[in-house]
């Protein structure tokens, strides 16, 4: 952000006494941008998810408002806006009111460090990853607050489930990110992206076998931390009615959903930045990319596409898998993901040292891992093709009059 | 003393009373459980029945025999054909009427289609209770096709009122037969395999279901469980085989029993798999029936005013939820003197109470769903 303000001052030929004002204005603009981006993303993803769900479930999904029902998210938002804001009598009124905003803020604050392009980032702080892990704790506080203050047994169970789950899964999330931090040698997201190359085999996911596994550990743990299926126990509608948000209505209820869908982008964005090369364009160096505004924009698009592919996978998992039980969830965290991620850190350290001793080894391992993942992707595509071929969508409802 | 007060008296300090239902997403209608739980782990879940009591048995005493058939649809709205069948069979036995063979075949076809539809809902809603939404809607999609067939057959999609005393109301034609065979071609290898790959073999579902609510064969008999719940516990008891009625002896089919497919015999996963296998068997029965359906009348000669001689009869059919029996007592007048309906869901409620002790709240949902209880069948 500071760089950007310097460039703006230079561009307009202002004197440096205005730099503070420019920075403050820039932060406001960026805050608005992040809020708008997050809200738009949440809204459009809600529509997109419902369309995908409809497709997967042999039904249509929302298709009335606008082209393909695109404006459905806006209609839903407006509807919730006009709803009566019910605050039940026996609730702790203050906590009940502020809990949704805490959850929303907690997710939105991660946008401060998630980069969009080489120079568009809220603050490229040198403790970026630690900041993300710390600030998401606000979500836990908000959800527990919502569950407690509603003064209902179902919300309490939901809130406590969610707290246990999110606090537990923060550990594997943080540890699996350390696997990447070791070769990168920095906690700043921008610097991690810069230290990766543009071409896929230069990404950190292919840096060493540990990083490859760590990507999946991170993905699973982040799903659990974000309360998404198959780990959506806090809002398990078949067990806990609606979990921590049972008593909420109107806009306050919507804020929880906003946070949930924005969190999808956060999960995808962090994974993209750390493992998948972020906004890097293959064959273009960082200096060249940050000098041209079009290349920056291209970088933003590339970043978005990578993140959206991950979001797509999350949505697809949600409509396929059943839900785990609370003890199975905890067993998975403490018996499997935690030891695995600690082991991965050790392996990552060994590989990083080996690469410094034998630079050629790094190239070989990267290429091998890249080819392996291509094979896995190829096999996956073959399975998808096989299923489509052998189980065609034979919904011939037309034969019934 | 109300139930809550009684439970409050035995409740310990670290326990809470949770009121699950009658309006709860996973209690399948209006069933209520009062859950005494220590956090996530339940001490017990006490079923409270009666929220859907409509007094059908009393209505039977005030309605002529033929007029009671529409009421029987409402005993179990997911498997109304069986409720029709058991009642008209009882009255036919009282009257001593011989039903034409074509009518019997039509009854079997309609019943087995209805069994598939009912099991689809049961399996789908069990998957949904475990958190997978998609299998439920895939099941609904297939059931929609069955509903269309029954609509063509008898004009109704849910409460059929298809069977009459002495036969059935509508005859089948080539067009409907074609639709049924089309449906079966789509259903038996294709849909079942897809469904199995989507949910039955899903590792998360297996992990959620195995060793939950395990009921041994001895316990199952003592609880009075019937139908798929009993067979999942390893007891090979199917009224279609053991107390043959209608034309079932003419068809070849297997009776699937629980074998502890992934866990122990009689757990929730066994009940799930047994239902999947029963759908396959039903499809086989329908295939045999539509290929060998005889010509002839669909109604026997029945007197206009149905006045059975004094006496009593118990007629039972193998419903989708197990043995469904009508004990009809006639005193020689136009209305039954007494009509007692025995249904499978009611006894399953007691099993849920015993088996819920000491498991997780999430397991209670699995247990309820795996028992395939339907609220109107409990209360009548």
């Amino acid at each position: 952000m500071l760089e950007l303000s310097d460039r703006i001052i230079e561009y307009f030929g202002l004197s440096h006494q205005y730099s503070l004002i420019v920075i403050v204005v820039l932060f406001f603009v960026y805050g608005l941008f992040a809020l708008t981006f997050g809200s738009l993303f949440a809204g459009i993803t809600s529509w997109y998810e419902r369309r995908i769900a409809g497709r997967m479930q042999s039904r249509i999904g929302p298709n009335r408002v606008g082209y393909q029902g695109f404006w459905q998210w806006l209609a839903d938002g407006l509807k919730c806006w006009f709803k009566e804001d019910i605050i039940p009598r026996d609730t702790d009124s203050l906590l009940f009111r502020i809990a949704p905003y805490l959850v929303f803020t907690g997710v939105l604050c991660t946008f401060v460090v998630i980069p969009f392009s080489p120079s568009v980032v809220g603050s490229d702080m040198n403790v970026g990853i630690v900041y993300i892990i710390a600030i998401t704790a606000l979500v836990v506080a908000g959800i527990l607050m919502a569950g407690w203050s509603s003064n209902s047994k179902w919300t309490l169970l939901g809130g406590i489930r969610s707290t246990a789950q999110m606090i537990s899964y923060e550990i594997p999330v943080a540890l699996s990110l350390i696997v990447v931090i070791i070769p990168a040698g920095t906690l700043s997201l921008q610097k991690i992206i810069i230290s990766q190359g543009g071409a896929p085999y230069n990404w950190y996911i292919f840096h060493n076998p540990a990083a490859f596994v760590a990507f999946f550990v991170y993905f699973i743990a982040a799903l659990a931390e974000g309360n998404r299926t198959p780990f959506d126990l806090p809002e398990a509608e078949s067990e806990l009615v609606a979990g921590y948000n049972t008593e909420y209505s109107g806009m306050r209820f919507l804020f929880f959903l906003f946070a949930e869908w924005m969190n999808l982008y956060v999960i995808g964005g962090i994974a993209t930045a750390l493992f998948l090369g972020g906004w890097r364009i293959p064959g273009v160096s960082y200096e060249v990319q940050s000098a041209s505004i079009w290349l920056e924009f291209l970088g933003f698009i590339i970043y978005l596409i990578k993140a959206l592919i991950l979001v797509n996978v999350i949505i697809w998992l949600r409509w396929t898998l059943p839900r785990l039980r609370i003890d199975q969830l905890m067993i998975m965290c403490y018996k499997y993901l935690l030891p695995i991620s600690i082991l991965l850190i050790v392996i990552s350290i060994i590989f990083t040292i080996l690469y410094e001793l034998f630079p050629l080894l790094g190239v070989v391992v990267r290429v091998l891992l890249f080819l392996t993942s291509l094979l896995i992707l190829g096999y996956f595509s073959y399975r998808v093709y096989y299923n489509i071929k052998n189980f065609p969508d034979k919904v011939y409802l037309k034969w019934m009059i | 003393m109300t139930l809550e007060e009684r439970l409050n008296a035995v409740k310990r300090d670290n326990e809470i009373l949770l009121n699950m239902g009658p309006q709860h997403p996973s209690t399948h209608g209006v069933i209520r459980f009062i859950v005494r739980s220590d956090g996530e782990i339940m001490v017990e879940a006490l079923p409270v029945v009666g929220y859907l009591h409509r007094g059908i048995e009393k209505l039977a005493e005030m309605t002529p025999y033929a007029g009671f058939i529409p009421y029987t649809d409402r005993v179990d709205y997911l498997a109304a054909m069986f409720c029709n069948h058991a009642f008209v069979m009882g009255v036919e036995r009282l009257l001593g009427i011989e039903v034409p063979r074509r009518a019997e075949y039509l009854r079997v076809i309609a019943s087995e289609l209805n069994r598939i539809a009912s099991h689809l809902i049961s399996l789908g809603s069990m998957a949904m209770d475990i958190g997978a939404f998609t299998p439920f809607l895939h099941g609904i999609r297939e059931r929609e096709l069955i509903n269309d067939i029954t609509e063509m057959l008898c004009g109704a999609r849910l409460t059929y009122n298809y069977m009459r005393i002495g036969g059935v109301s509508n005859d089948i034609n080539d067009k409907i037969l074609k639709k049924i065979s089309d449906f079966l071609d789509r259903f038996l290898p294709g849909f079942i395999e897809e469904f199995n790959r989507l949910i039955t073999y899903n590792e998360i579902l297996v992990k959620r279901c195995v060793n939950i609510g395990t009921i041994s064969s001895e316990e199952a008999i003592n609880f009075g469980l019937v139908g798929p719940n009993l067979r999942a516990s390893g007891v090979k008891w199917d009224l279609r085989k053991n107390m043959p009625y209608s034309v079932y002896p003419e068809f070849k089919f297997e009776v699937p029993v629980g074998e502890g497919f992934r866990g122990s015999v009689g757990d929730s996963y066994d009940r799930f798999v047994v239902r999947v296998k029963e759908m396959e068997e039903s499809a086989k029965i329908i295939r045999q029936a539509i290929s060998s359906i005889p010509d002839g009348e669909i109604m026997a000669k029945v007197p206009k005013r149905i006045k059975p001689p004094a006496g009593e009869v118990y007629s039972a059919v193998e419903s989708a939820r197990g043995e469904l029996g009508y004990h009809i007592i006639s005193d020689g007048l136009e209305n039954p003197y007494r009509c007692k309906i025995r249904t499978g869901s009611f006894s399953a409620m007691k099993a849920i109470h015993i088996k819920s002790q000491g498991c997780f709240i999430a397991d209670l949902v699995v247990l309820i769903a795996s028992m395939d209880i339907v609220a109107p069948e409990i209360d009548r």
Side-chain angles (χ1 to χ4, degrees):
Chain A
M1 216 39 136
L2 290 175
E3 274 175 43
L4 198 64
S5 78
D6 284 344
R7 277 166 69 183
I8 287 170
I9 289 163
E10 234 172 74
Y11 185 79
F12 289 107
L14 299 168
S15 80
H16 276 275
Q17 55 189 342
Y18 293 118
S19 66
L20 191 65
I21 300 171
V22 172
I23 285 174
V24 169
V25 170
L26 263 181
F27 269 114
F28 261 106
V29 170
Y30 184 80
L32 270 180
F33 170 69
L35 185 67
T36 317
F37 179 82
S39 310
L40 276 179
F41 183 84
I44 293 169
T45 312
S46 78
W47 162 79
Y48 180 69
E49 176 159 15
R50 289 164 71 183
R51 290 294 292 182
I52 292 283
R55 185 99 190 97
M56 288 180 72
Q57 298 173 345
S58 305
R59 58 189 175 86
I60 297 165
N63 71 340
R64 291 284 123 183
V65 195
Y67 175 71
Q68 294 281 306
F70 180 76
W71 299 109
Q72 183 68 39
W73 59 278
L74 210 59
D76 286 346
L78 274 176
K79 190 197 87 171
C80 275
W81 191 271
F82 290 128
K83 283 268 175 187
E84 186 189 352
D85 180 24
I86 299 166
I87 297 171
R89 192 187 57 207
D90 290 341
T91 53
D92 188 329
S93 177
L94 178 71
L95 295 185
F96 188 84
R97 279 161 201 267
I98 62 174
Y101 304 120
L102 268 186
V103 174
F104 184 74
T105 317
V107 177
L108 192 64
C109 279
T110 52
F111 278 85
V112 171
V113 291
I114 292 179
F116 289 100
S117 73
S119 50
V120 181
V121 57
S123 168
D124 181 24
M125 48 177 97
N126 53 9
V127 289
I129 288 168
V130 178
Y131 169 81
I132 286 177
I133 292 162
I135 203 76
T136 45
L138 210 56
V139 180
V140 184
I143 286 177
L144 185 60
M145 213 180 258
W148 175 259
S149 67
S150 297
N151 199 12
S152 149
K153 287 163 188 165
W154 296 116
T155 60
L156 182 65
L157 276 177
I160 289 177
R161 268 188 185 188
S162 148
T163 315
Q165 177 180 338
M166 291 171 95
I167 290 176
S168 302
Y169 272 89
E170 259 173 23
I171 307 165
V173 165
L175 290 179
S176 59
L177 294 184
I178 290 176
V179 174
V180 175
I181 292 166
I182 290 162
T186 172
L187 287 169
S188 146
L189 265 79
Q190 285 290 59
K191 293 212 179 70
I192 289 174
I193 293 175
I194 292 165
S195 65
Q196 303 179 54
Y201 49 83
N202 283 331
W203 296 346
Y204 273 136
I205 184 175
F206 303 123
H207 184 268
N208 58 46
F212 190 69
V213 180
F215 173 73
F216 296 99
V217 173
Y218 167 74
F219 196 71
I220 294 167
L223 278 183
E225 205 199 346
N227 296 335
R228 289 288 296 188
T229 312
F231 311 106
D232 63 340
L233 290 98
E235 43 199 284
E237 80 282 346
S238 57
E239 297 155 24
L240 300 182
V241 189
Y244 56 85
N245 55 28
T246 307
E247 303 291 338
Y248 282 88
S249 59
M251 208 56 199
R252 277 178 225 282
F253 174 67
L254 207 60
F255 268 112
F256 285 116
L257 296 184
F258 257 129
E260 190 186 323
W261 275 307
M262 254 155 67
N263 197 40
L264 294 190
Y265 183 76
V266 173
I267 295 171
I270 295 173
T272 306
L274 270 83
F275 292 98
L276 302 179
W279 36 256
R280 291 298 296 261
I281 305 166
V284 180
S285 74
Y286 164 66
E287 286 77 19
V288 174
Q289 197 184 354
S290 61
S292 154
I293 191 154
W294 293 112
L295 284 180
E296 287 227 10
F297 188 69
L298 186 63
F300 171 64
I301 298 291
I302 285 175
Y303 192 96
L304 202 61
I305 287 171
K306 286 176 187 170
L308 283 180
I309 287 171
L310 291 178
V311 170
N312 227 337
V313 173
I314 297 172
I315 291 173
W316 167 43
L317 286 179
R318 171 168 181 185
W319 297 106
T320 309
L321 293 177
R323 184 186 305 122
L324 274 84
R325 201 171 53 210
I326 186 83
D327 59 326
Q328 292 166 346
L329 189 82
M330 288 299 160
I331 284 171
M332 192 169 130
C333 177
Y334 288 112
K335 272 170 108 171
Y336 297 105
L337 292 185
L338 187 59
I340 286 173
S341 49
I342 291 172
L343 193 70
L344 290 179
I345 292 173
V346 177
I347 296 173
S348 184
I349 292 170
I350 293 169
F351 268 96
T352 313
I353 295 169
L354 279 179
Y355 289 174
E356 296 210 344
L357 296 176
F358 317 103
L360 193 65
L361 181 70
V363 181
V364 173
V365 170
R366 271 164 193 272
V367 172
L368 277 181
L369 272 174
F370 181 58
L371 291 178
T372 315
S373 72
L374 274 188
L375 271 181
I376 294 171
L377 207 66
Y379 180 68
F380 176 74
S381 317
Y382 166 73
R383 289 299 300 179
V384 171
Y385 169 75
Y386 173 83
N387 278 333
I388 291 174
K389 205 177 122 199
N390 286 302
F391 299 93
D393 193 15
K394 291 179 289 186
V395 192
Y396 43 96
L397 288 166
K398 271 182 218 150
W399 58 261
M400 289 297 170
I401 302 156
Chain B
M1 214 197 232
T2 65
L3 208 51
E4 282 91 338
E5 283 165 353
R6 218 181 314 158
L7 277 169
N8 263 318
V10 294
K11 178 170 87 75
R12 278 183 293 251
D13 282 347
N14 57 346
E15 294 168 356
I16 51 169
L17 282 190
L18 268 174
N19 185 34
M20 195 167 181
Q23 314 295 335
H24 187 280
S26 67
T27 51
H28 298 217
V30 281
I31 307 162
R32 183 176 170 213
F33 288 89
I34 302 177
V35 180
R36 186 152 68 91
S37 79
D38 179 5
E40 285 277 347
I41 297 172
M42 287 187 303
V43 181
E44 64 175 342
L46 201 68
V48 184
V49 299
Y51 282 87
L52 209 56
H53 181 69
R54 292 144 300 165
I56 287 184
E57 291 176 9
K58 187 68 188 166
L59 282 168
E61 297 168 17
M62 303 168 182
T63 327
Y65 283 96
F68 185 60
I69 299 170
Y71 286 109
T72 61
D73 286 332
R74 274 79 182 169
V75 170
D76 179 356
Y77 50 58
L78 287 179
M81 235 27 125
F82 301 102
C83 309
N84 283 182
H85 195 173
F87 179 71
V88 295
M89 212 163 75
V91 181
E92 282 154 10
R93 282 186 199 164
L94 274 176
L95 286 166
I97 294 174
E98 184 77 15
V99 182
R101 269 173 61 78
R102 187 177 174 82
E104 290 283 19
Y105 266 75
L106 289 180
R107 283 181 181 182
V108 167
I109 292 171
S111 295
E112 295 304 322
L113 277 174
N114 201 187
R115 188 189 310 276
I116 293 177
S118 173
H119 280 344
L120 281 173
I121 292 289
S122 158
L123 297 172
S125 59
M126 179 163 173
M128 193 163 74
D129 285 347
I130 294 173
F133 209 115
T134 307
F136 176 69
L137 282 150
H138 284 195
I140 288 276
R141 182 186 72 200
E142 303 303 309
R143 179 174 175 260
E144 201 60 27
L145 303 179
I146 298 177
N147 281 355
D148 287 344
I149 291 169
T150 51
E151 191 180 357
M152 293 176 86
L153 191 60
C154 56
R157 296 165 66 83
L158 199 64
T159 50
Y160 307 109
N161 191 17
Y162 180 52
M163 308 207 182
R164 295 282 186 272
I165 294 164
V168 292
S169 65
N170 295 57
D171 200 357
I172 204 163
N173 56 29
D174 289 345
K175 202 176 165 193
I176 305 174
L177 282 174
K178 174 79 171 54
K179 305 274 177 200
I180 296 176
S181 72
D182 273 359
F183 168 76
L184 291 177
D185 288 346
R186 165 197 170 76
F187 184 79
L188 189 50
F191 173 77
I192 293 274
E193 200 174 329
E194 194 190 45
F195 188 81
N196 281 343
R197 284 150 60 97
L198 177 61
I199 188 76
T200 314
Y201 304 143
N202 186 310
E203 201 56 34
I204 299 178
L205 179 114
V206 173
K207 281 260 153 43
R208 280 294 300 276
C209 291
V210 294
N211 298 335
I212 300 300
T214 310
I215 301 173
S216 68
S217 52
E218 202 173 312
E219 277 177 315
I221 292 168
N222 288 345
F223 281 136
L225 292 185
V226 285
N229 296 340
L230 179 68
R231 289 194 283 277
S233 298
V235 184
K236 202 162 186 169
W237 177 263
D238 189 323
L239 291 189
R240 291 173 293 178
K241 288 265 191 202
N242 298 69
M243 292 165 67
Y245 59 93
S246 197
V247 284
Y248 277 110
E250 295 174 20
F251 303 120
K252 281 200 194 76
F253 63 98
E254 295 288 312
V255 179
V257 290
E259 297 157 4
F261 296 101
R262 291 295 288 271
S264 45
V265 178
D267 59 7
S268 297
Y269 189 66
D270 274 11
R271 292 193 273 277
F272 191 94
V273 176
V274 161
R275 289 206 172 84
V276 175
K277 294 195 170 191
E278 273 192 15
M279 290 200 298
E280 293 174 15
E281 299 302 326
S282 292
K284 283 179 197 163
I285 294 175
I286 303 169
R287 267 200 186 135
Q288 294 170 35
I290 57 174
S291 63
S292 62
I293 186 163
D295 291 330
E297 290 289 309
I298 57 162
M299 275 292 279
K301 283 256 176 284
V302 180
K304 244 195 180 132
R305 291 164 68 93
I306 295 168
K307 270 185 165 180
E312 57 185 281
V313 69
Y314 177 74
S315 70
V317 297
E318 183 69 29
S319 147
R321 261 157 283 282
E323 179 176 342
L324 183 110
Y326 284 76
H327 185 195
I328 306 164
I329 304 177
S330 161
D331 54 358
L333 295 179
E334 279 188 12
N335 302 352
Y337 176 75
R338 174 84 172 94
C339 179
K340 166 84 178 85
I341 309 170
R342 187 257 187 262
T343 53
S345 297
F346 185 74
S347 47
M349 288 293 269
K350 184 62 186 170
I352 290 172
H353 179 209
I354 305 292
K355 287 296 161 190
S356 67
Q357 290 167 3
C359 61
F360 286 86
I361 288 179
D363 292 339
L364 173 64
V365 171
V366 176
L367 190 54
I368 297 171
S370 76
M371 286 290 187
D372 189 20
I373 51 178
V374 170
E377 221 202 16
I378 299 167
D379 301 331
R380 272 106 57 193

